Amino acid sequence: MLLPGQSRSRGRDTRLAAVHIVIMGCGRVGSSLARSLEKRGHTVAVIDLVPDAFRRLGPDFAGKTVRGVGFDREVLMEAGITDADGFAAVSSGDNSNILSARVVRETFSVDNVVARIYDPGRAEVYERLGIPTVATVRWTSDQMLRRLLPAGSEPQWRDPSGSVRLMEVHVDRSWVGRTVEQIETATGARVPFVFRLGAGIVPKSSTLFQDGDLLYAAIADAQLADVETTLGQPPKGG
């Protein structure tokens, strides 16, 4: 799995590629997220200050466990952050989560990060700083999975015939500044709404795609691979 700035084709088979994800926090969300990722064939490292917390992972967990905090560089390196494709900060502390997310992004250049924030008001502030956040009241570990593994994720909605789906689509960072109309023209899909700064918006054709936006597209099933490939790499023509 590649992240914003990638150039690999994101066809339907990319969902099978194994990735490495580092998780800070081994509570109910962190342990559930770790097990879900491992079941999908990915490698996982979990960081927590309390060794007993790792019991939540269960006896079959084959990933790595590291004692410490997610903003400690040595701890992160032990967890394999230099080879990580994504980082999730889901501890019980807002400050620890956002600090860890910033260290991972700014020090280790991992773009695919998400931080769980208990205070929705603060979450919007951090979104403006470029750190994707998940407010615990609104979202579950499934939503974390969609951000960490956007390609090939389960659709948000599918029509009864199975021919059309509404899903969150990974968009390469190079598309930032392009209009919704340009995105629709390039993909042949429709963009009914965009999730921005903690709220959904119904975009106009002139609405610009911004860094941190989550884009939802209505896609014919036969177009899925082409849409993921087009948006997963820089726009043609630069």
Side-chain angles (χ1 to χ4, degrees):
M1 174 182 173
L2 297 176
L3 302 169
Q6 66 190 39
S7 60
R8 182 189 299 171
S9 173
R10 301 186 67 90
R12 196 170 304 185
D13 290 339
T14 58
R15 71 189 70 183
L16 302 177
V19 301
H20 180 61
I21 302 295
V22 177
I23 300 170
M24 185 191 77
C26 197
R28 287 178 293 180
V29 173
S31 58
S32 174
L33 185 60
R35 291 193 301 269
S36 296
L37 286 164
E38 194 170 67
K39 286 180 181 178
R40 294 178 177 220
H42 307 294
T43 61
V44 184
V46 183
I47 300 170
D48 201 288
L49 267 175
V50 183
D52 284 347
F54 298 130
R55 294 180 180 179
R56 294 189 178 96
L57 296 169
D60 298 327
F61 180 69
K64 189 170 187 177
T65 56
V66 182
R67 184 180 180 183
V69 292
F71 47 83
D72 185 312
R73 298 183 184 183
E74 292 185 1
V75 169
L76 287 168
M77 292 183 69
E78 185 179 350
I81 196 64
T82 55
D83 297 316
D85 299 275
F87 176 79
V90 292
S91 75
S92 59
D94 283 7
N95 291 336
S96 296
N97 288 342
I98 198 63
L99 178 58
S100 298
R102 294 193 67 177
V103 168
V104 168
R105 170 170 282 185
E106 296 169 10
T107 302
F108 295 97
S109 300
V110 177
D111 291 320
N112 193 22
V113 301
V114 58
R116 182 175 71 167
I117 302 297
Y118 284 88
D119 183 346
R122 296 174 71 185
E124 182 173 335
V125 174
Y126 294 133
E127 289 274 6
R128 293 181 185 276
L129 294 176
I131 302 294
T133 60
V134 173
T136 57
V137 174
R138 298 192 307 266
W139 299 84
T140 65
S141 62
D142 285 342
Q143 300 296 335
M144 287 274 190
L145 282 170
R146 288 191 176 97
R147 291 210 183 180
L148 290 170
L149 305 173
S153 61
E154 287 299 311
Q156 302 284 339
W157 176 87
R158 190 195 302 267
D159 83 300
S161 71
S163 59
V164 177
R165 63 178 68 192
L166 174 66
M167 63 186 300
E168 179 185 327
V169 182
H170 170 78
V171 183
D172 186 271
R173 182 171 291 177
S174 300
W175 287 88
V176 169
R178 302 297 177 104
T179 65
V180 166
E181 182 178 25
Q182 289 175 310
I183 292 174
E184 291 182 334
T185 299
T187 61
R190 293 292 177 265
V191 181
F193 71 99
V194 174
F195 193 79
R196 175 180 296 170
L197 299 177
I201 64 170
V202 177
K204 299 178 181 179
S205 59
S206 59
T207 299
L208 297 179
F209 181 75
Q210 298 182 8
D211 193 17
D213 282 356
L214 297 181
L215 187 145
Y216 290 82
I219 307 171
D221 195 66
Q223 293 179 291
L224 177 58
D226 290 338
V227 172
E228 287 185 335
T229 298
T230 299
L231 293 181
Q233 58 191 9
K236 293 181 178 180

